[in-house]
Amino acid sequence: MTRTAPLPRIVRKEKPPKMRGRDGYRKAREHLRRDFAYRCAYCMIHESEAGGEEAFWIDHFRPRSKGGSANDYTNLYWACILCNHIKGDSWPTPSEARHGRRFANPCHEQDYGFHFAENAKSELEALTRCGEYHVGTLRLNRSLLVARRRERNEYRSRLAEASNLIERLEPQRDAASVGRAPVQNEVIDHVHHEIDSLRAELAIAIPFIPSLQGQ
Ligand SMILES: [Zn+2]
C-alpha cells in the first residue's frame, strides 16, 4: 500500500496583488494575513497573542540575499517579528541542503507532526534532519512559545474535563427545568459557560498538531 504525503499545513487561497519594485511586496500584507489565518508561519502564534498585527512582518522564505524573489507571492510568509528576526538571512548551504538540513516549508508540506512534533514537555522535538535545522534555526523552543503551548494543553485538558462533566449533568437538565433542581441548572449553565470560554481561548492558542510519524 502506498502512503500519500501529508497535505501542506497552509494552503494559499488569495489572489496576490501586483507587486513591483523594492518594497512592492508590502502590498501583499492583508492577503498574507488572511492566507496564514493571522498566525505566524513558523511558530503558529496568533496575532492577538503576540501583540497584534504590528508585531508581525512579511518574511521572505528564501531570503533576498540568498536568491529569493522579493515580489513573488509564493516566497512571502506572514511571520511574527521574533521568528522573522531570528530567521534573518538564514538559509542552508548547498552541503547542508544535500544532507536534508533545510527549513520545512509549511506551504509545501506538513511541518508540525511530520518534521517535528511536540513532546510531553510542550517542546518541539525534531523527527527529521529538516526538523532539526528548522526548530534549531528558528529557536522554536524559546520560553514564551513553550509556555504558550503548556497553557494551551491546560485549556485542552480542562475542556475535556468540562465536556465529560456536562455529559453527566445534561441528562438531569429536564429535572432542573421544572424547578426541582435549580442549583443543578446553575451548575450546568456554569459548565457550559466554562466550555465556551475555553473554546474561545483555544481558537487563538497555538494549535496542537499530533505526530503523523508512523502512520
Ligand atoms: Zn513566530
Side-chain angles (χ1 to χ4, degrees):
M1 211 169 75
T2 52
R3 274 202 307 148
T4 47
L7 288 173
R9 178 165 57 83
I10 295 158
V11 179
R12 295 177 194 246
K13 296 188 185 79
E14 291 284 319
K15 188 177 177 291
K18 293 225 181 324
M19 298 174 277
R20 279 193 203 91
R22 201 177 162 273
D23 294 330
Y25 68 89
R26 292 186 187 178
K27 280 192 191 167
R29 190 178 170 89
E30 294 306 316
H31 305 71
L32 289 166
R33 289 181 71 210
R34 288 190 290 269
D35 265 346
F36 286 81
Y38 309 96
R39 291 181 182 280
C40 173
Y42 307 110
C43 70
M44 298 202 295
I45 204 158
H46 193 274
E47 286 177 3
S48 61
E49 294 253 275
E53 66 164 299
E54 294 79 19
F56 276 63
W57 193 233
I58 298 170
D59 173 61
H60 288 86
F61 184 71
R62 184 179 182 127
R64 284 167 288 180
S65 63
K66 303 287 162 66
S69 165
N71 294 327
D72 175 354
Y73 189 68
T74 62
N75 194 40
L76 305 179
Y77 287 58
W78 192 233
C80 75
I81 38 176
L82 264 180
C83 284
N84 210 319
H85 174 74
I86 292 167
K87 184 166 170 279
D89 278 352
S90 308
W91 195 249
T93 62
S95 146
E96 283 177 314
R98 266 198 306 279
H99 291 95
R101 294 179 56 76
R102 59 173 179 88
F103 286 112
N105 187 336
C107 296
H108 289 175
E109 60 195 325
Q110 184 59 253
D111 47 3
Y112 282 79
F114 190 77
H115 288 296
F116 42 89
E118 212 170 303
N119 66 19
K121 290 189 284 179
S122 307
E123 290 164 353
L124 296 182
E125 239 173 62
L127 302 171
T128 63
R129 279 189 188 163
C130 164
E132 208 175 85
Y133 179 90
H134 188 94
V135 172
T137 310
L138 284 160
R139 297 184 5 222
L140 292 180
N141 285 320
R142 47 190 192 260
S143 53
L144 172 89
L145 294 174
V146 175
R148 286 287 154 86
R149 290 184 207 120
R150 241 174 231 159
E151 192 178 67
R152 170 257 279 149
N153 289 341
E154 274 165 34
Y155 293 151
R156 272 163 55 91
S157 59
R158 276 168 55 194
L159 179 61
E161 275 171 30
S163 305
N164 280 341
L165 187 59
I166 215 72
E167 249 175 60
R168 281 189 282 127
L169 292 181
E170 197 59 71
Q172 298 169 38
R173 186 182 270 288
D174 283 343
S177 66
V178 294
R180 275 183 289 168
V183 174
Q184 191 75 2
N185 206 6
E186 268 174 39
V187 171
I188 294 173
D189 288 346
H190 175 80
V191 179
H192 273 299
H193 181 73
E194 167 87 350
I195 288 177
D196 288 347
S197 62
L198 286 168
R199 284 199 177 129
E201 293 285 358
L202 282 167
I204 52 164
I206 294 176
F208 174 73
I209 301 178
S211 173
L212 306 172
Q213 290 283 306
Q215 269 191 359

